[in-house]
Amino acid sequence: MADTQIEPQKKFRRAEMITPPNKLKEAVGSGGLDQRVVNKAQELLKNNKVDFQPQATLLLGELRTALLASKGGTITGEAAIEAIIYPAMQLKAQAGMFQYPLVSEISNILVNFLETVENVDKHVLEISDAHRQAISAIVSGGIKGDGGNVGKELREALMDACNRFYKTRKK
């Protein structure tokens, strides 16, 4: 049976979202929001009809380009990891708004994995590409929600691949 989580690893980098100053909030002040406004915003997100596939396809293309450039040696080292991690972070951040939480979860697994690898090698690229292919299949199949049992198995298989990578590095 596959592991249900990735074993804790030393992080060589932090893939953090930087929140710029919110000038609008500064101008308005603090004090919270009217619950009706919050409810309306949640309802809009829940019923969002915007098609995520075009945006996801662009980000998956960026991810594929980064993987190919890394494989070909056009980019190496930290630049390669940054090029791979950026579209993965964007997929993680955006997918949930469009009812693709499985894409967010798989992207999160990839981001966490890339935070812990010291260098890009063929194994890192293979694992990263497996994540890309999984996300691509989910998006092209229009699989919203958590993907049910198949989604669970897919997440576990990807986490298991990461754990196998870590175990080979410990030897």
Side-chain angles (χ1 to χ4, degrees):
M1 176 166 199
D3 294 324
T4 57
Q5 61 183 355
I6 293 177
E7 295 177 13
Q9 300 295 318
K10 175 184 174 187
K11 291 192 177 196
F12 293 95
R13 67 200 55 77
R14 300 272 320 151
E16 297 182 73
M17 296 293 280
I18 298 171
T19 306
N22 187 332
K23 299 294 183 186
L24 182 59
K25 185 176 180 180
E26 288 173 10
V28 173
S30 61
L33 293 172
D34 184 319
Q35 189 60 41
R36 291 175 294 181
V37 173
V38 173
N39 291 342
K40 185 170 182 169
Q42 287 177 328
E43 189 66 26
L44 287 171
L45 284 174
K46 181 180 173 186
N47 296 318
N48 186 358
K49 301 294 183 216
V50 175
D51 186 3
F52 179 58
Q53 287 184 338
Q55 179 64 17
T57 300
L58 286 172
L59 291 168
L60 286 164
E62 285 182 34
L63 183 54
R64 184 176 185 275
T65 299
L67 291 169
L68 290 172
S70 299
K71 185 176 182 179
T74 306
I75 54 174
T76 59
E78 207 57 37
I81 291 174
E82 287 176 18
I84 298 166
I85 212 168
Y86 179 78
M89 286 181 65
Q90 292 299 312
L91 285 161
K92 173 188 169 190
Q94 295 178 27
M97 289 188 297
F98 299 97
Q99 291 83 44
Y100 282 88
L102 183 56
V103 169
S104 286
E105 291 175 26
I106 290 172
S107 299
N108 188 49
I109 294 167
L110 178 56
V111 168
N112 288 333
F113 173 70
L114 291 169
E115 287 180 316
T116 64
V117 297
E118 195 166 358
N119 299 305
V120 174
D121 62 21
K122 74 176 192 166
H123 303 290
V124 169
L125 294 174
E126 286 172 2
I127 290 170
S128 298
D129 195 46
H131 284 75
R132 182 196 62 79
Q133 290 177 40
I135 294 166
S136 182
I138 293 163
V139 170
S140 65
I143 302 169
K144 294 186 177 187
D146 66 5
N149 287 336
V150 173
K152 181 181 178 196
E153 289 174 15
L154 185 55
R155 285 188 305 275
E156 288 177 356
L158 292 167
M159 287 187 284
D160 191 47
C162 295
N163 284 328
R164 284 192 311 271
F165 172 85
Y166 297 136
K167 286 176 184 167
T168 63
R169 294 296 188 245
K170 288 180 184 177
K171 292 181 180 179

